Amino acid sequence: MSGSLLSINGLSIGYSDAQSRSVAVISSVDLSLAAGETLGLVGESGCGKSTLLLAIMGFYKAGLHRLGGDLQFMGEDPGVMPAGDLQKLRGGRMALIPQNAGQSLTPTMKIENQLFEALSLHSDLPSGLWRQRCFSLLDRVQLPDPGELLKRYPHELSGGQQQRIAIAMALAGEPDLLLLDEPTTGLDVTTQVHVLDLLREITAETRTAMIYVSHDIGVISAVCNKIAIMYAGELVELGDKNDLIDNPAHPYTKGLLDSIPRMHQDRLPVSLEGMQPQPGQRNFDNQCVFVERCSYARPVCQQHKPDSSTVSARQVKCHLASEALDWKSVEGSDRINKPTKFSRVVLRVKDLSVSYDRPSLTRWFTGRQPSLVTQGIEFEIRRGEILGLVGESGSGKSTLLKTIAGLQKPFAGSLMLNDQFDLRHSVGSRDADCQQKIQLVFQNPDASLNPSQTVEAILARPIKLYFGSSDEAIRQQVDEILTRVNLPLAYRTRYPGQLSGGEKQRIAIARALVAKPDLILCDEITSALDVSVQASIIKLLLRLRQESQLAILFVSHDLAVVDVLADQVVVLEQGRIRESGPVSRVFSDPDHAYTQSLLASVL
Amino acid sequence: MNSLHTLLTGILASRSGRFGLSMVLFHVLLALVSPWLVPYQFDSQSEIINHIGPSLQHWAGLDTLGRDVLTRTMLGGRQAILVTLLATCLALTWGGFCGIMAGYKGGRTDEVIMRGIDIFLAIPFMIFLLLVIATFGNDPVVMILTLGFFYGIGFVRLARAATLDVVVKDYVLAAKSRGEGTFSILFREILPNVRDVLLVESAMRWSWMLLAFSALSFLGFGVTPPTPDWGLMIASARIYMALAAWPVLLPMIALSSLIIGINLTADALAKSLGLDRSTRVLL
């Protein structure tokens, strides 16, 4: 293909299983990219997007190899290049910006030396001019005071600055193609906006082509002009950004878009049922990969694998693509229906401040005040109410949650549960009743479920601990709770490692529910999940709230999720409440400048 | 996570694991039943009090005092295996417990336990062992207690390191926030997740302990003659090794085959549990 920078034809990547059969992780991907084009690669975790990105650089993870197809970058195939050429190519004409810049910068090297290293490898500049070039690179990524910055170590920079340095390093070799692997995932929303702006400017000015991998369509649509949707190792839809988002042709794209919560939406996001098939789990030679989860599937979808066809200026792999354009959003998506009346107060927090400083003799003598992580926090949660706690990292959200859970002692102020229990005590010295009434659900279910216990053991433990029920009664309650969180009873005997991310999070929620709590503390419980799964967790929380009049404290950095879910919202910045009130009021008519800037960063 | 069944299938999955495990089982079985199998009394001397090569009456020949080498080799592992196995269990129990405790509690508890361990690590343990045996005698119980104590020190470090990996996980925090007691957290949340590492380590330590026990016997501090023991047999026959190799050779083969068997089993176990010892540093 002439004129294209990168062309991929029918590329398949996979591994050989124990019976030495080839299992495809990526199958027959067609893609081409011209200079100056920006392509976003979207898909759920495990769909093969990172594998594809690495393959473009000629890198295959251990065990993976190319099963077939053709990959050309500027007329050459990185997969068969000699090692020396490949070294020049990587970081030179093609540069990768990784997910976590903090970890990709060498911690013991000053920024200056890291940039020099990149320049020495990938530019022809004489070493006398390197410093000057560094200045212009840092200027390019909009970092102020380059002279000072070059002398620093990576840990002396903020996350956003680190990511900018990583971008500057990538730009050092004046690449023709930038590969980005979720470069803003670990950043705060306001920082993310700046990095995305920067990327957009760079591509506009230098005509650098870009492939941007992300699970977040919002981020992608802010930067890219083309979007490719991947599902189970296949490219199911590829087209212009606006076309694809406004009018998706593949049912999966449609489902994915419907599952994203948006601000000021009056309907709940719709979850995609089922799970993405794992590589080698099923044979998709004679059927569509999406057939199991597709709500439009016809008999033909189970008999023939759809070829890639061109429908209204885009590539789609679906038998029904031409009809699909006319389909409306999935019918029956529930309206958001927020209760307005709540009964008694469950949690009352007054003038709370927390400090990590420990009391010490010197402090007592000098009378020096400890540094406070949060200060003057006041809010109430009533029965059946969901309170959203939003703020960027370091705003004190998690500290607050830990304090309520009794894992951190407050410095001053009062916390009362049901106007009955004083929550200033640490969890060990609280009454058993009080311990039972507050339950915590963590961000990452991989870490919060013990991998060596079965689902049944995990769920039975709180029942045994709080109620001391008989084995028979426990068994019954475990069954009940599994049904309530929409999981099959057969999961009792499974280990967490045998469940998907969404299922694990359901178990974590179920573990909190079996204690029959009055208050559930949720720490970013949807942020480790794929969007299609996130929607179902949101729905579950709303249903549980309604069924048992639970009070939920929902900590999140995702304003759209809070908008959909919460009744009240508290905006935290640097440990202080900037604004609080009903979600509908705060998010549509924010008073505080910080809330406004947060809202402006929502993509 | 792994029941006995899965551990076994894991070991049996590799050829070296099958070989190693059968070697270990052979030795353990032999130790159990050898008193009924041996052809002679272990202390009965033949009328020819001299070295004699393998013959039809004495398959592995006679030793310096005219005793049947095969008989003595078959019986020679009994005390070594029993003492070291019990000592391993002791080491695993106290070392594992202290290590997990130190890792979980942290702070002052950790400091006290680890500095105590450092002190013992600074003492050359073989010499200390000799001192203890010289003082209290070489009673099997004394041997078990001393070996178990000294080999447990390594377990403390290992268990602590493994616990530090686990203790930061949210499920430990979840248990704490539920109001679980310390022992419940140690046994339900942490122990099952460090068990695999400890298991592999105990197998390794068992083999080291066997060597140490034989070394003690070799030095004359282990088993009292005339009780047959591999280390003792090697020691007493090594002077005549140039003249008569078989009284040395057979106990040597027995001892090393058991140790190789244990090592192969431990390796297979580690591999099946994903604890590849080539990539993981065991303290």
Side-chain angles (χ1 to χ4, degrees), chain A residues 405 407 427 435 439-440 442 444 447-453 461-462 465-466 495 511, chain B residues 1-2 169-181 184 188-190 192-193:
Chain A
L407 300 167
V427 65
Q435 288 172 350
Q439 292 295 317
L440 194 56
F442 293 86
N444 193 343
S448 70
L449 301 180
N450 193 332
S452 55
Q453 293 177 351
R461 183 60 201 159
L465 182 71
Y466 297 130
Y495 289 99
R511 177 174 63 184
Chain B
M1 196 189 313
N2 298 286
K169 294 279 169 59
D170 281 345
Y171 52 82
V172 176
L173 198 62
K176 247 188 241 177
S177 78
R178 220 166 32 226
E180 299 264 15
S184 167
R188 278 175 222 278
E189 309 293 336
I190 298 177
N193 293 300

Side-chain angles (χ1 to χ4, degrees), chain B:
Chain B
M1 196 189 313
N2 298 286
S3 63
L4 195 65
H5 174 75
T6 43
L7 288 181
L8 256 177
T9 39
I11 294 172
L12 295 178
S14 67
R15 199 188 307 168
S16 62
R18 284 195 294 272
F19 183 68
L21 191 64
S22 44
M23 206 108 94
V24 175
L25 284 180
F26 169 74
H27 274 290
V28 172
L29 268 179
L30 190 69
L32 283 174
V33 299
S34 55
W36 295 278
L37 285 184
V38 288
Y40 297 91
Q41 291 278 304
F42 66 84
D43 53 356
S44 74
Q45 293 174 319
S46 166
E47 56 274 24
I48 319 156
I49 307 188
N50 210 332
H51 292 113
I52 196 166
S55 62
L56 273 180
Q57 285 90 37
H58 301 283
W59 289 359
L62 298 174
D63 68 0
T64 327
L65 297 175
R67 297 174 296 190
D68 184 52
V69 173
L70 181 65
T71 303
R72 292 181 65 80
T73 308
M74 280 166 77
L75 293 167
R78 280 168 62 85
Q79 196 164 352
I81 291 176
L82 183 73
V83 167
T84 50
L85 208 53
L86 288 177
T88 309
C89 292
L90 178 66
L92 174 68
T93 316
W94 89 262
F97 179 75
C98 284
I100 293 176
M101 200 67 179
Y104 172 67
K105 281 283 181 187
R108 200 165 293 165
T109 316
D110 186 26
E111 204 65 26
V112 168
I113 293 178
M114 293 320 285
R115 294 303 77 79
I117 293 307
D118 285 347
I119 291 170
F120 282 109
L121 278 176
I123 302 171
F125 106 94
M126 207 58 176
I127 294 176
F128 198 85
L129 214 59
L130 293 180
L131 186 75
V132 171
I133 291 164
T135 320
F136 298 101
N138 63 351
D139 189 71
V141 177
V142 176
M143 299 281 278
I144 291 171
L145 290 178
T146 358
L147 282 172
F149 175 73
F150 268 97
Y151 277 85
I153 292 170
F155 274 109
V156 177
R157 301 200 71 120
L158 184 82
R160 178 177 174 270
T163 306
L164 289 182
D165 279 349
V166 175
V167 88
V168 292
K169 294 279 169 59
D170 281 345
Y171 52 82
V172 176
L173 198 62
K176 247 188 241 177
S177 78
R178 220 166 32 226
E180 299 264 15
T182 304
F183 281 89
S184 167
I185 293 179
L186 291 189
F187 286 106
R188 278 175 222 278
E189 309 293 336
I190 298 177
L191 185 64
N193 293 300
V194 300
R195 202 191 58 191
D196 293 349
V197 182
L198 292 181
L199 217 60
V200 173
E201 183 70 5
S202 6
M204 298 307 298
R205 291 209 170 246
W206 182 25
S207 73
W208 297 344
M209 224 185 270
L210 264 170
L211 269 182
F213 186 86
S214 302
L216 278 177
S217 296
F218 185 87
L219 294 174
F221 286 89
V223 178
T224 325
T227 313
D229 178 82
W230 295 333
L232 200 61
M233 289 168 72
I234 296 170
S236 57
R238 97 198 126 99
I239 319 163
Y240 310 103
M241 206 152 57
L243 299 168
W246 53 94
V248 185
L249 215 55
L250 206 63
M252 260 165 58
I253 292 172
L255 178 62
S256 44
S257 68
L258 176 55
I259 287 172
I260 290 172
I262 296 173
N263 276 292
L264 288 177
T265 314
D267 275 345
L269 184 64
K271 208 166 270 176
S272 80
L273 292 172
L275 305 167
D276 205 347
R277 292 188 306 123
S278 57
T279 55
R280 198 185 167 95
V281 184
L282 293 185
L283 293 171

Side-chain angles (χ1 to χ4, degrees), chain A residues 232-263:
Chain A
E234 291 191 19
L235 211 69
V236 292
E237 184 164 1
L238 167 69
D240 185 68
K241 170 180 82 180
N242 294 327
D243 282 359
L244 198 132
I245 288 182
D246 294 343
N247 197 3
H250 196 284
Y252 177 65
T253 317
K254 208 181 266 294
L256 203 59
L257 286 167
D258 283 342
S259 68
I260 301 172
R262 288 169 214 275
M263 297 294 287

Side-chain angles (χ1 to χ4, degrees), chain A residues 327-364:
Chain A
W327 291 333
K328 295 283 165 283
S329 288
V330 183
E331 289 303 316
S333 62
D334 305 319
R335 290 190 82 83
I336 295 177
N337 189 6
K338 289 184 179 173
T340 46
K341 275 205 182 124
F342 304 98
S343 52
R344 62 182 173 83
V345 175
V346 173
L347 176 73
R348 205 189 291 276
V349 179
K350 259 203 191 122
D351 199 25
L352 176 74
S353 49
V354 184
S355 168
Y356 283 124
D357 292 350
R358 279 202 237 163
S360 71
L361 220 53
T362 45
R363 189 180 303 287
W364 186 76

